């Protein structure tokens, strides 16, 4: 059995991961970390009845006492790097779902993996449907290079645009390059009206209660548009990807970025 600890255990994603790890025959939930310092039985958090695993705010201590094989992190952009550093330096493989990491952060994780000879996986999106959306968008961009991205999330999300929207823009840029879109003389009457820009692709972020995680990639061509849309209507959508990553991360050599690289 692969021993797993979850960082961000009290969070929306953290609780879902606790449930998924607990329900997986090949994984054993041995620890749960959250800066929320209340110590509660994880079973009470996920409604299974007592599991004899208490939440703890000290990641170092949890690693020393529980000796996990894998740490899963769903915290926030300002906490995640410190958790990754602690885990990798203590010999624990990491699966990272937290978004908002910079290129510099990713390079640091890569170096830490090499130094400590460990595997790690960072995935901006663990939902298989979102991976397919990104693949299809990359394919469509070969033929319809004019494209904009609208991502829609719940209003408690901290980073914008989403990691998935940025990754989609990167994948599209790989096939069509940087491209000037829209009228060369267009101007904004309200700052931000045309969204953020990555290689000429406009990215728009909607934040509203009621949403989980959604994205539309809209392509425009002569007399036609093509919309590729993915909806995560529940956080369960991410769990098959997270549990698969927990099982595969120990056999990875170094850092892998993106769930698509570990799918069979
Ligand atoms: P959330 O705010 O509900 O939960 C975050 C939790 O992390 C909180 O309980 C908080 O107390 C805890 N935390 C903060 N700092 C910590 C630290 N240093 N150590 C331990 N715990 C700490 O957020 P959420 O909605 O669960 O999302 C978490 C992250 O996951 C976000 O970055 C979000 O964008 C990302 N996300 C990724 C995917 C994916 O598929 N990769 C899917 C959904 C969300």
């Amino acid at each position: 059995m692969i021993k797993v600890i979850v960082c961000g255990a009290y969070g929306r994603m953290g609780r879902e991961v606790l449930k998924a790890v607990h329900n997986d025959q090949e994984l054993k939930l041995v620890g749960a970390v959250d800066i929320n310092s209340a110590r509660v039985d994880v079973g009470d958090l996920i409604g299974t009845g007592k599991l004899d695993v208490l939440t703890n705010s000290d990641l170092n201590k949890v690693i020393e006492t529980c000796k996990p094989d894998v740490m899963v992190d769903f915290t926030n952009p300002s906490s995640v790097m410190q958790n990754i550093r602690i885990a990798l330096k203590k010999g624990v493989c990491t699966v990272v779902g937290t978004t908002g990491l910079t290129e510099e952060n990713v390079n640091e994780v890569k170096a830490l993996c090499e130094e400590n000879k460990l595997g790690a996986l960072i995935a901006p999106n663990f939902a298989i449907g979102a991976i397919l959306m990104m693949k299809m968008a990359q394919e469509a961009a070969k033929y319809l290079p004019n494209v904009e991205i609208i991502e829609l999330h719940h209003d408690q999300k901290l980073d914008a645009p989403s990691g998935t929207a940025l990754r989609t823009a990167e994948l599209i840029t790989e096939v069509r390059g940087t491209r000037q879109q829209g009228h060369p003389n267009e101007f904004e009457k309200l700052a931000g009206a045309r969204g953020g820009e990555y290689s000429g692709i406009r990215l728009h972020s909607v934040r509203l209660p009621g949403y989980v995680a959604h994205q539309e990639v809209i392509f425009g061509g002569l007399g036609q548009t093509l919309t590729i849309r993915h909806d995560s209507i529940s956080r369960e959508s991410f769990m098959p990807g997270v549990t698969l990553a927990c099982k595969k991360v120990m056999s990875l050599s170094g850092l892998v970025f993106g769930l698509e690289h570990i799918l069979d």
Side-chain angles (χ1 to χ4, degrees), residues 7 12-13 72-81 84 95-103 105-106 121-127 130 134 151 153-154 156-168 205 207 212-213 215 238 257-258:
C7 267
R12 287 170 287 257
M13 286 298 288
V72 180
D73 189 288
F74 279 94
T75 59
N76 62 50
S78 53
S79 299
V80 57
M81 282 308 295
I84 296 173
V95 171
V96 179
T98 307
T99 55
L101 278 83
T102 62
E103 196 180 335
N105 291 153
V106 174
L121 182 113
I122 300 175
N125 202 313
F126 279 98
M134 287 187 266
E151 54 96 341
H153 281 80
H154 60 89
Q156 299 304 302
K157 184 168 175 60
L158 294 174
D159 54 317
S162 70
T164 305
L166 269 180
R167 183 73 186 132
T168 310
S205 299
R207 297 290 177 266
V212 177
Q215 180 168 297
F238 304 112
F257 190 94

Side-chain angles (χ1 to χ4, degrees), residues 2 27 34 60 67 79 133 140 211 216 235-236 238 260:
I2 300 168
L27 306 176
D34 200 290
N60 275 295
K67 306 200 178 340
S79 299
M133 167 192 62
Y211 282 126
E216 277 185 9
R235 291 183 175 81
E236 272 177 299
F238 304 112
E260 59 275 23

